[in-house]
Amino acid sequence: MGNGRVTSLKDVAGAAGVSVATVSRMLNGTLDLPTETKKRIQDAIRDLNYQPNPHARRLSLGRSETIGLVVPDIANPFFAMFVAAVEEEADRRGLSVALNATLNRPGREIAYLQSIARNYIDGLIFLTNHPDDGRLADLINSTGRVVVVDEDVPGAKAPKLFGDNEAGGHFAGGHLAEHRHRSVLFVGGPEEMVSTRRRFSGFERAMRKAFGSDATIEAYRGDYTASFGRHAARRFIAEKCRATAIFATSDEIAVGLMEVFQTEGVRVPDDVSMIGFDDVGPLHLFAPPLTAIRQPVRALGQRALSLLLETNWQEREPHATEEILPVEIVVRKSVAPPSKQ
Protein backbone atom coordinates (compact mmCIF):
# COMPACT_ATOMS: atom_id res chain seq x y z
CA MET A 1 0.00 0.00 0.00
CA GLY A 2 1.53 3.28 -1.16
CA ASN A 3 0.28 5.70 1.50
CA GLY A 4 2.61 4.45 4.24
CA ARG A 5 -0.27 3.01 6.30
CA VAL A 6 0.41 -0.37 7.89
CA THR A 7 -1.62 -3.13 6.26
CA SER A 8 -4.30 -4.49 8.57
CA LEU A 9 -6.07 -7.81 8.86
CA LYS A 10 -9.16 -6.05 7.49
CA ASP A 11 -7.25 -5.06 4.34
CA VAL A 12 -6.25 -8.68 3.72
CA ALA A 13 -9.79 -9.92 4.31
CA GLY A 14 -11.21 -7.35 1.85
CA ALA A 15 -8.71 -8.26 -0.86
CA ALA A 16 -9.37 -11.98 -0.41
CA GLY A 17 -13.16 -11.59 -0.22
CA VAL A 18 -13.51 -13.24 3.18
CA SER A 19 -14.23 -12.10 6.73
CA VAL A 20 -11.59 -10.82 9.17
CA ALA A 21 -12.39 -13.77 11.43
CA THR A 22 -11.61 -16.20 8.61
CA VAL A 23 -8.19 -14.66 8.00
CA SER A 24 -7.44 -14.58 11.73
CA ARG A 25 -8.43 -18.21 12.29
CA MET A 26 -6.39 -19.35 9.28
CA LEU A 27 -3.29 -17.56 10.62
CA ASN A 28 -3.89 -19.05 14.07
CA GLY A 29 -4.19 -22.52 12.59
CA THR A 30 -7.69 -23.04 13.97
CA LEU A 31 -9.58 -23.19 10.64
CA ASP A 32 -9.21 -25.62 7.71
CA LEU A 33 -10.13 -23.82 4.48
CA PRO A 34 -10.66 -24.98 0.90
CA THR A 35 -7.45 -24.76 -1.13
CA GLU A 36 -8.78 -22.01 -3.38
CA THR A 37 -9.88 -19.79 -0.44
CA LYS A 38 -6.61 -20.36 1.37
CA LYS A 39 -4.68 -19.38 -1.79
CA ARG A 40 -6.66 -16.12 -2.11
CA ILE A 41 -5.75 -15.18 1.44
CA GLN A 42 -2.09 -16.09 0.97
CA ASP A 43 -1.94 -14.06 -2.26
CA ALA A 44 -3.50 -11.06 -0.52
CA ILE A 45 -0.97 -11.32 2.32
CA ARG A 46 1.88 -11.39 -0.20
CA ASP A 47 0.55 -8.64 -2.44
CA LEU A 48 -0.23 -6.31 0.46
CA ASN A 49 2.99 -7.22 2.31
CA TYR A 50 0.96 -7.93 5.45
CA GLN A 51 3.09 -8.55 8.58
CA PRO A 52 1.17 -10.35 11.35
CA ASN A 53 1.47 -8.72 14.79
CA PRO A 54 2.71 -11.49 17.11
CA HIS A 55 1.65 -9.54 20.21
CA ALA A 56 -1.92 -9.18 18.92
CA ARG A 57 -1.96 -12.84 17.97
CA ARG A 58 -0.89 -13.92 21.44
CA LEU A 59 -3.57 -11.72 22.99
CA SER A 60 -6.18 -13.31 20.72
CA LEU A 61 -5.13 -16.66 22.15
CA GLY A 62 -5.44 -15.32 25.71
CA ARG A 63 -1.69 -15.01 26.27
CA SER A 64 0.75 -12.12 26.17
CA GLU A 65 3.89 -14.19 26.92
CA THR A 66 4.85 -11.24 29.11
CA ILE A 67 5.45 -11.51 32.84
CA GLY A 68 4.96 -8.48 35.07
CA LEU A 69 7.58 -7.70 37.70
CA VAL A 70 6.83 -5.15 40.43
CA VAL A 71 9.65 -3.97 42.72
CA PRO A 72 9.87 -1.01 45.10
CA ASP A 73 13.11 0.54 43.85
CA ILE A 74 15.46 -0.55 41.05
CA ALA A 75 18.23 1.68 42.44
CA ASN A 76 18.44 -0.61 45.48
CA PRO A 77 21.12 -3.28 44.78
CA PHE A 78 18.94 -6.05 46.24
CA PHE A 79 16.06 -5.35 43.86
CA ALA A 80 18.39 -4.66 40.93
CA MET A 81 19.99 -8.09 41.29
CA PHE A 82 16.58 -9.71 41.68
CA VAL A 83 15.35 -8.04 38.47
CA ALA A 84 18.43 -9.23 36.57
CA ALA A 85 17.83 -12.82 37.71
CA VAL A 86 14.18 -12.75 36.61
CA GLU A 87 15.14 -11.23 33.25
CA GLU A 88 17.73 -13.94 32.62
CA GLU A 89 15.30 -16.74 33.50
CA ALA A 90 12.56 -15.19 31.34
CA ASP A 91 14.96 -14.87 28.40
CA ARG A 92 15.88 -18.54 28.77
CA ARG A 93 12.20 -19.42 28.53
CA GLY A 94 11.44 -17.06 25.63
CA LEU A 95 9.32 -14.68 27.69
CA SER A 96 9.30 -10.91 28.05
CA VAL A 97 9.33 -9.01 31.35
CA ALA A 98 7.39 -5.80 31.99
CA LEU A 99 9.27 -4.09 34.82
CA ASN A 100 7.48 -1.64 37.09
CA ALA A 101 9.11 0.31 39.94
CA THR A 102 6.58 1.52 42.51
CA LEU A 103 8.77 3.79 44.65
CA ASN A 104 7.19 1.69 47.41
CA ARG A 105 3.88 3.56 47.02
CA PRO A 106 0.66 1.59 47.55
CA GLY A 107 -1.21 3.48 44.80
CA ARG A 108 1.33 2.45 42.17
CA GLU A 109 1.34 -1.13 43.45
CA ILE A 110 -2.45 -1.30 43.11
CA ALA A 111 -2.33 0.06 39.55
CA TYR A 112 0.17 -2.60 38.48
CA LEU A 113 -1.84 -5.37 40.12
CA GLN A 114 -4.88 -4.23 38.19
CA SER A 115 -2.99 -4.69 34.91
CA ILE A 116 -3.39 -8.46 35.32
CA ALA A 117 -7.17 -8.18 35.33
CA ARG A 118 -6.96 -6.30 32.03
CA ASN A 119 -4.93 -9.18 30.52
CA TYR A 120 -1.93 -7.03 29.71
CA ILE A 121 0.35 -9.67 31.25
CA ASP A 122 0.17 -13.39 31.97
CA GLY A 123 1.12 -13.13 35.63
CA LEU A 124 2.95 -10.98 38.16
CA ILE A 125 5.96 -11.34 40.45
CA PHE A 126 5.26 -8.89 43.24
CA LEU A 127 7.65 -7.37 45.80
CA THR A 128 6.68 -4.76 48.37
CA ASN A 129 8.71 -3.15 51.11
CA HIS A 130 6.07 -1.81 53.50
CA PRO A 131 3.20 -3.20 55.61
CA ASP A 132 -0.14 -3.72 53.81
CA ASP A 133 -3.38 -2.16 55.05
CA GLY A 134 -5.39 -4.98 53.45
CA ARG A 135 -5.88 -3.46 49.99
CA LEU A 136 -3.02 -5.35 48.36
CA ALA A 137 -4.14 -8.69 49.80
CA ASP A 138 -7.72 -8.13 48.62
CA LEU A 139 -6.58 -7.28 45.11
CA ILE A 140 -4.20 -10.23 44.90
CA ASN A 141 -6.98 -12.57 46.02
CA SER A 142 -9.49 -11.21 43.51
CA THR A 143 -6.99 -11.19 40.65
CA GLY A 144 -4.88 -14.30 41.01
CA ARG A 145 -1.76 -15.09 38.98
CA VAL A 146 0.51 -13.33 41.50
CA VAL A 147 3.59 -14.67 43.27
CA VAL A 148 4.62 -12.71 46.39
CA VAL A 149 8.38 -12.57 47.00
CA ASP A 150 10.76 -11.42 49.75
CA GLU A 151 8.21 -9.61 51.95
CA ASP A 152 4.82 -10.99 52.94
CA VAL A 153 1.42 -9.57 52.10
CA PRO A 154 -0.58 -11.05 55.01
CA GLY A 155 -3.90 -12.56 53.94
CA ALA A 156 -2.90 -12.91 50.30
CA LYS A 157 -3.85 -16.32 48.92
CA ALA A 158 -0.88 -16.70 46.64
CA PRO A 159 2.39 -18.63 46.37
CA LYS A 160 5.00 -16.90 48.54
CA LEU A 161 8.77 -17.11 48.31
CA PHE A 162 11.13 -15.84 51.02
CA GLY A 163 14.71 -16.08 52.14
CA ASP A 164 15.08 -17.76 55.52
CA ASN A 165 14.81 -14.66 57.72
CA GLU A 166 14.55 -16.63 60.96
CA ALA A 167 17.73 -18.59 60.24
CA GLY A 168 19.49 -15.40 59.16
CA GLY A 169 18.68 -13.71 62.45
CA HIS A 170 19.84 -16.79 64.31
CA PHE A 171 23.16 -16.84 62.41
CA ALA A 172 23.69 -13.17 63.29
CA GLY A 173 22.91 -13.63 66.97
CA GLY A 174 25.02 -16.77 67.19
CA HIS A 175 28.02 -15.07 65.57
CA LEU A 176 27.85 -12.11 67.96
CA ALA A 177 27.43 -14.47 70.91
CA GLU A 178 30.53 -16.40 69.84
CA HIS A 179 32.43 -13.12 70.15
CA ARG A 180 31.01 -12.60 73.68
CA HIS A 181 28.58 -9.77 72.89
CA ARG A 182 25.85 -9.80 75.54
CA SER A 183 24.52 -6.28 74.96
CA VAL A 184 23.36 -5.86 71.36
CA LEU A 185 21.28 -3.53 69.18
CA PHE A 186 18.83 -4.72 66.51
CA VAL A 187 18.25 -2.11 63.76
CA GLY A 188 15.36 -3.26 61.58
CA GLY A 189 12.25 -2.49 59.60
CA PRO A 190 8.67 -2.00 60.79
CA GLU A 191 7.50 -4.53 63.37
CA GLU A 192 4.44 -5.33 61.19
CA MET A 193 6.67 -6.80 58.46
CA VAL A 194 7.33 -10.52 58.50
CA SER A 195 11.01 -10.06 57.66
CA THR A 196 11.52 -7.86 60.72
CA ARG A 197 9.66 -10.22 63.05
CA ARG A 198 11.45 -13.33 61.85
CA ARG A 199 14.92 -11.77 61.84
CA PHE A 200 14.39 -10.47 65.37
CA SER A 201 12.96 -13.81 66.53
CA GLY A 202 15.97 -15.76 65.29
CA PHE A 203 18.37 -13.16 66.63
CA GLU A 204 16.79 -13.12 70.09
CA ARG A 205 16.63 -16.91 70.22
CA ALA A 206 20.37 -17.20 69.55
CA MET A 207 21.24 -14.55 72.14
CA ARG A 208 19.00 -16.11 74.80
CA LYS A 209 20.41 -19.55 74.06
CA ALA A 210 23.92 -18.21 74.69
CA PHE A 211 23.32 -15.89 77.63
CA GLY A 212 19.75 -16.37 78.88
CA SER A 213 18.45 -13.40 80.86
CA ASP A 214 21.94 -11.83 80.87
CA ALA A 215 21.52 -10.85 77.23
CA THR A 216 20.40 -7.24 76.70
CA ILE A 217 18.69 -6.65 73.34
CA GLU A 218 17.65 -3.15 72.30
CA ALA A 219 15.80 -2.43 69.04
CA TYR A 220 15.49 0.57 66.72
CA ARG A 221 12.78 0.12 64.08
CA GLY A 222 12.17 2.24 61.02
CA ASP A 223 12.49 1.14 57.40
CA TYR A 224 15.04 -0.61 55.22
CA THR A 225 16.80 2.52 53.98
CA ALA A 226 20.17 4.22 54.29
CA SER A 227 18.32 7.26 55.65
CA PHE A 228 17.02 5.24 58.59
CA GLY A 229 20.48 3.76 59.08
CA ARG A 230 21.91 7.28 59.42
CA HIS A 231 19.13 8.18 61.88
CA ALA A 232 19.84 5.04 63.91
CA ALA A 233 23.58 5.82 64.04
CA ARG A 234 22.94 9.36 65.29
CA ARG A 235 20.54 8.03 67.92
CA PHE A 236 23.08 5.37 68.97
CA ILE A 237 25.67 8.12 69.52
CA ALA A 238 23.31 10.64 71.15
CA GLU A 239 21.87 8.12 73.61
CA LYS A 240 25.31 6.67 74.39
CA CYS A 241 23.83 3.25 73.68
CA ARG A 242 25.64 0.59 75.69
CA ALA A 243 25.36 -2.09 73.01
CA THR A 244 28.73 -3.50 71.97
CA ALA A 245 27.40 -4.89 68.66
CA ILE A 246 24.76 -3.99 66.09
CA PHE A 247 22.69 -6.24 63.81
CA ALA A 248 21.77 -4.06 60.79
CA THR A 249 19.02 -5.95 59.01
CA SER A 250 19.61 -4.69 55.46
CA ASP A 251 22.50 -3.52 53.32
CA GLU A 252 20.95 -0.07 53.08
CA ILE A 253 20.67 0.29 56.87
CA ALA A 254 24.29 -0.85 57.22
CA VAL A 255 25.44 1.74 54.67
CA GLY A 256 23.68 4.53 56.59
CA LEU A 257 25.15 3.40 59.90
CA MET A 258 28.67 3.20 58.50
CA GLU A 259 28.42 6.65 56.87
CA VAL A 260 27.68 8.34 60.20
CA PHE A 261 30.08 6.23 62.23
CA GLN A 262 32.97 7.07 59.90
CA THR A 263 32.11 10.78 60.02
CA GLU A 264 31.74 10.80 63.82
CA GLY A 265 34.82 8.69 64.53
CA VAL A 266 33.00 5.57 65.78
CA ARG A 267 35.33 2.69 64.90
CA VAL A 268 34.06 -0.69 63.69
CA PRO A 269 34.78 -3.16 65.27
CA ASP A 270 36.98 -1.42 67.88
CA ASP A 271 34.15 0.66 69.38
CA VAL A 272 31.19 -1.40 68.18
CA SER A 273 30.90 -4.57 66.11
CA MET A 274 28.46 -4.81 63.23
CA ILE A 275 26.81 -7.51 61.15
CA GLY A 276 24.56 -6.84 58.14
CA PHE A 277 21.87 -8.62 56.14
CA ASP A 278 21.38 -9.21 52.36
CA ASP A 279 25.05 -8.94 51.26
CA VAL A 280 24.14 -7.66 47.82
CA GLY A 281 25.92 -4.30 48.00
CA PRO A 282 29.74 -3.96 48.08
CA LEU A 283 30.06 -4.68 51.79
CA HIS A 284 33.45 -6.28 51.17
CA LEU A 285 34.78 -2.86 50.16
CA PHE A 286 33.91 -1.21 53.46
CA ALA A 287 36.61 -0.35 55.99
CA PRO A 288 36.47 -2.83 57.59
CA PRO A 289 34.77 -5.36 55.25
CA LEU A 290 31.34 -6.06 56.75
CA THR A 291 30.25 -9.48 57.97
CA ALA A 292 26.72 -10.16 56.69
CA ILE A 293 23.93 -12.65 56.22
CA ARG A 294 23.75 -13.34 52.49
CA GLN A 295 20.33 -13.74 50.91
CA PRO A 296 20.06 -16.00 47.80
CA VAL A 297 18.84 -13.10 45.64
CA ARG A 298 19.56 -14.64 42.23
CA ALA A 299 17.98 -17.93 43.27
CA LEU A 300 14.92 -16.02 44.53
CA GLY A 301 14.51 -14.35 41.13
CA GLN A 302 14.88 -17.57 39.15
CA ARG A 303 12.60 -19.54 41.45
CA ALA A 304 9.96 -16.78 41.48
CA LEU A 305 9.48 -17.06 37.72
CA SER A 306 9.42 -20.86 37.85
CA LEU A 307 6.84 -20.75 40.62
CA LEU A 308 4.65 -18.38 38.62
CA LEU A 309 4.72 -20.67 35.60
CA GLU A 310 4.28 -23.92 37.56
CA THR A 311 1.27 -22.85 39.60
CA ASN A 312 -2.15 -24.14 38.54
CA TRP A 313 -4.09 -20.87 38.37
CA GLN A 314 -7.30 -22.71 37.38
CA GLU A 315 -7.89 -23.89 40.95
CA ARG A 316 -11.22 -22.53 42.13
CA GLU A 317 -9.98 -21.78 45.63
CA PRO A 318 -6.42 -20.42 45.55
CA HIS A 319 -4.50 -20.80 48.78
CA ALA A 320 -1.30 -19.42 50.22
CA THR A 321 1.82 -21.57 50.06
CA GLU A 322 5.21 -20.62 51.42
CA GLU A 323 8.63 -21.64 50.13
CA ILE A 324 11.82 -20.74 51.99
CA LEU A 325 15.29 -20.55 50.43
CA PRO A 326 18.39 -20.89 52.65
CA VAL A 327 20.67 -18.02 53.65
CA GLU A 328 24.31 -18.11 54.77
CA ILE A 329 26.68 -16.05 56.86
CA VAL A 330 29.70 -14.44 55.19
CA VAL A 331 32.32 -13.69 57.83
CA ARG A 332 34.59 -10.73 57.21
CA LYS A 333 36.20 -8.31 59.71
CA SER A 334 33.51 -6.17 61.31
CA VAL A 335 32.96 -8.32 64.40
CA ALA A 336 35.44 -8.63 67.28
CA PRO A 337 35.10 -9.27 71.02
CA PRO A 338 33.91 -6.19 72.93
CA SER A 339 36.68 -3.94 74.19
CA LYS A 340 34.84 -3.73 77.54
CA GLN A 341 32.12 -5.87 79.03
Side-chain angles (χ1 to χ4, degrees):
M1 302 184 76
N3 60 3
R5 183 171 66 84
V6 176
T7 302
S8 69
L9 210 62
K10 185 176 180 180
D11 296 325
V12 173
V18 296
S19 69
V20 172
T22 297
V23 178
S24 177
R25 291 183 62 192
M26 189 198 87
L27 292 175
N28 290 340
T30 59
L31 180 63
D32 189 18
L33 293 170
T35 302
E36 193 253 332
T37 306
K38 189 173 183 179
K39 185 176 184 305
R40 288 205 317 272
I41 295 173
Q42 290 171 337
D43 289 346
I45 289 173
R46 184 191 64 244
D47 294 343
L48 297 173
N49 193 28
Y50 172 68
Q51 300 294 324
N53 182 336
H55 181 66
R57 181 172 180 268
R58 288 192 295 265
L59 287 178
S60 73
L61 297 173
R63 302 191 306 273
S64 70
E65 295 187 15
T66 298
I67 301 302
L69 174 55
V70 170
V71 298
D73 179 9
I74 57 174
N76 183 305
F78 178 95
F79 298 121
M81 182 179 287
F82 182 87
V83 168
V86 173
E87 288 274 11
E88 288 173 8
E89 184 67 12
D91 181 66
R92 190 178 71 81
R93 294 171 179 262
L95 299 171
S96 298
V97 175
L99 173 62
N100 304 284
T102 65
L103 308 179
N104 213 30
R105 296 176 183 169
R108 291 171 68 91
E109 291 173 330
I110 289 169
Y112 293 135
L113 281 167
Q114 289 170 336
S115 67
I116 303 179
R118 294 191 290 266
N119 291 317
Y120 295 159
I121 54 178
D122 293 332
L124 190 69
I125 297 170
F126 184 82
L127 288 78
T128 188
N129 205 22
H130 65 82
D132 178 34
D133 61 7
R135 289 182 295 170
L136 294 178
D138 289 344
L139 194 52
I140 289 171
N141 293 341
S142 64
T143 302
R145 292 181 289 154
V146 179
V147 170
V148 175
V149 185
D150 182 52
E151 188 59 59
D152 194 19
V153 179
K157 298 176 181 178
K160 300 177 180 181
L161 180 66
F162 308 132
D164 197 335
N165 292 296
E166 176 90 18
H170 195 269
F171 288 156
H175 188 67
L176 295 182
E178 286 174 8
H179 286 78
R180 305 194 305 276
H181 290 281
R182 297 170 182 264
S183 180
V184 294
L185 174 64
F186 175 94
V187 183
E191 195 166 9
E192 303 92 332
M193 295 174 70
V194 70
S195 58
T196 302
R197 293 197 307 273
R198 291 180 181 179
R199 289 171 197 179
F200 183 82
S201 175
F203 184 65
E204 182 181 41
R205 183 162 53 87
M207 292 297 298
R208 296 297 179 203
K209 180 179 179 181
F211 303 117
S213 60
D214 289 337
T216 301
I217 307 170
E218 295 186 61
Y220 296 169
R221 293 189 173 91
D223 51 35
Y224 292 121
T225 64
S227 175
F228 174 62
R230 290 189 288 270
H231 169 80
R234 294 186 189 103
R235 178 180 171 187
F236 176 87
I237 295 168
E239 294 180 352
K240 296 182 171 55
C241 181
R242 300 183 64 183
T244 59
I246 297 173
F247 177 25
T249 59
S250 79
D251 282 356
E252 295 295 290
I253 289 175
V255 166
L257 284 161
M258 291 292 282
E259 283 180 7
V260 173
F261 284 168
Q262 288 176 357
T263 300
E264 298 298 324
V266 177
R267 299 167 301 167
V268 175
D270 296 344
D271 298 323
V272 62
S273 289
M274 188 186 304
I275 185 167
F277 200 104
D278 289 335
D279 200 43
V280 176
L283 303 187
H284 61 291
L285 299 179
F286 281 27
L290 193 65
T291 293
I293 307 303
R294 177 176 291 169
Q295 287 227 66
V297 185
R298 300 195 70 84
L300 283 168
Q302 293 163 355
R303 179 57 188 151
L305 183 57
S306 298
L307 194 56
L308 183 66
L309 299 177
E310 292 169 6
T311 300
N312 178 11
W313 300 107
Q314 306 307 315
E315 290 183 356
R316 292 189 176 183
E317 293 186 7
H319 56 280
T321 59
E322 186 174 306
E323 190 171 323
I324 303 291
L325 297 189
V327 300
E328 60 180 319
I329 185 169
V330 180
V331 177
R332 298 189 179 103
K333 297 186 177 181
S334 61
V335 176
S339 55
K340 3 182 213 182
Q341 294 286 353

